[in-house]
Structure formats: structure tokens, C-alpha cells
Amino acid sequence: MAATVLIVDADPRSCADWEALLSNQGYMVVAARSGEVALMLCPQLQPDLVLLYDSLPDMQGLELCRLLKANPRNRLTPMILLAAGGEVSDASRTLGSGADDFWGHTPTPWEALSRVHSLLQMKTYIDEQAESVLFSLAQSIEARDPFDRAHCARVSNNAVRFGKSLGFSQNVLDALRIGGLVHDIGKIGIPDAILSKAGPLDPEESRIVREHPIIGEQICAPLKSLRHVLPLIRHHHERMDGSGYPDGLRGEQIPLTVRALQIVDICDALTSDRSYRQNLSLPRALTILYEEADRGWLDGPLVSQFASLVVGSEGSIALGNRRGLGSPQGTQWSENDPSGKFNRRGV
Ligand SMILES: [Fe+2]
């Protein structure tokens, strides 16, 4: 995919020159004429590189660079500060702004392309390394809990399978595959004592647990390649009736992919052994999914479609860790939280 470069420049002629130069090399170029527009555009666009001029109508480039870098979504984005008139002479201020490169004069086209290319190569390398670290981190979090091993891999595989049965596009299936792997990455912020606690969580422990979708989103936000996965991370504990967290989204405010992932995630948790109960049989797990749909928590039609999928392919679909003998009647969850989604399982 072509790299995207955001040009922040108040001068329309200079902007047009940059667009022509960079577009000619296959880059996608987006222009912002003011700092305010750049601040609004950058987190959504997540460009691969920002080239900003120091003299803007509404703020200095140094300040803009500092503000852009303060947003986690822009932190890994290389930024070039161009002060062709030599307005920025204080090197420490320039470095303090977070700029990755500083051009004190207008470069020749060859110089500009060479340096842009180098920074983009560095960005690609950092993204690849960061993505690999995040996947390893997600795996290491699972490894902390002996009852949770391979849960995310199964959720990932089964979410893709469910998504295919629903006719999702390849891009959405890719998001489900990655989202299944990293949706609980925010658990890194939850102490082991809470993760593996056998009894119910107290209010303070529940508060800590409920932060994990936001922590997970913050961890993954700087990576452009994970942008399409962020809603799956942030919203996988929302409920259809608005009683979930962290945003209390209702009904179709919760993206369809999230609603699908939730069902796969809960079913795998129910059919897995936990520190507080043995695994449940598939029929019992499906009954609980239907109960949660009746309570207004899960998407009822999606639960039916998921049940049709797994009942028809139980022999070929890997569900739960099933280390124990199973506990068809189920034990230890509260009447208000049958799957334990918002207390035990939801960790
Ligand atoms: Fe979670």
C-alpha cells in the first residue's frame, strides 16, 4: 500500500509542489493548511510521515509537532520540521518538539525524496517490530493464566470462521483475526492476583479489570496497521442494552464485528476450564449465550447464527480448552452475570 504523507503548509503553491513531487513517486499526499486542521486530521489519517512548515497561520510548527506527538496515535509517525527561513535556531527546542528530522533550508528534490524515503523505511521497520512485540505481549499475557492458554488463538480462528459464514469482507476478516489475538492485550495492566483470583472480584478489582479495553486500545493505537482493530479492543465488553463498558454503547452503536467477536469469545470462555469452574458442555454454553441475548446483552440474531455454525460443525471447530470433564450444570456465576463476562470471564 502506498505510504501516506501529510503536508502541513499554509502556502498553496508550495503545497502543490510537494504534492507533485511526492505523488510522482507513488506516495499518497494529503495537505493541511493550518495547525488546527493538521491536529484534527492526523489521528484519523494516521499518515506514514508528516512534513510540516514552521510558519503556519495559527501556530508555530514546533508547537504543532509537540501537540501531534503527544497523541498516542501519532507517536510512531516520523515528523519533519521545515524552517526554510531559519526561524528555528534553538536546537534543544527543536528536539524537544519530538521532530524526527529538521530541515533548515528548502532541500533539492533529490535531497527531499532521499530523506523522506529513509524515514519511511525506518517507519516500516519500527511498525513491523512493534507489531511483532505486541503479538508476543498478547501471548505472554495468556501464558500468565494457565486456564487461558490458546484462548485468543481459538477466538481468532473461530471469529474468522464465524465472519466468513456472515459474509464479511476479507478486510473485516483480517481485523477479526488480529482482534481475536490482541483484544485482551490490556490485561497487561491487571495484576496476576486479580487475573487468577478464584472468588468474586471486589469493587476496586472490578474497576481495575474494566480498564483493560482502554489500556489495550492505548497500547495498539500508535500502530497504523492495527487501526481497524481498535474498536474490537475497546468495545468487546459493551452490551446491547448499554450496560457494558467502557463507553456504554447501545445496539448498533456497537460495531457488528465486535458483536460477533463477543459471542465467539464468550463461547470459548464458557467451554474452557477456569480457576473458578470446569468447562461447560457446548449445549450449556449456547443456552447461556441465548440467556444473555434475552437479557439484552448480546445480539440475539447473531447468537442464533453462531449456534447454527457451531452445532453443524462441532467436530471440526476447536472450542475451549476442555481440560476437565465438563460441568453441564455450571457453577459459581451469579444470576446477574451468567457467563461471568463482567466479573470473572470478562478479565
Ligand atoms: Fe476482555
Side-chain angles (χ1 to χ4, degrees), residues 5-10 14-15 18 30 32 34-35 38-39 42 49-56 59-69 77-84 88 94 97-103:
V5 179
L6 175 65
I7 306 286
V8 189
D9 186 357
S14 164
C15 242
W18 281 111
V30 177
S34 67
L39 284 171
C42 203
L49 185 139
V50 178
L51 197 162
L52 57 103
Y53 274 76
D54 188 48
S55 297
L56 297 168
M59 65 181 78
Q60 290 294 304
L62 281 173
E63 178 62 4
L64 174 60
C65 194
R66 195 185 61 73
L67 291 172
L68 287 172
K69 285 283 187 178
T77 307
M79 299 195 186
I80 300 170
L81 182 61
L82 209 163
V88 180
T94 308
S97 73
D100 299 273
D101 202 0
F102 171 66
W103 298 352

Side-chain angles (χ1 to χ4, degrees), residues 184 212 236-237 346-347:
D184 267 339
H212 81 275
H236 72 276
H237 286 289
V347 176

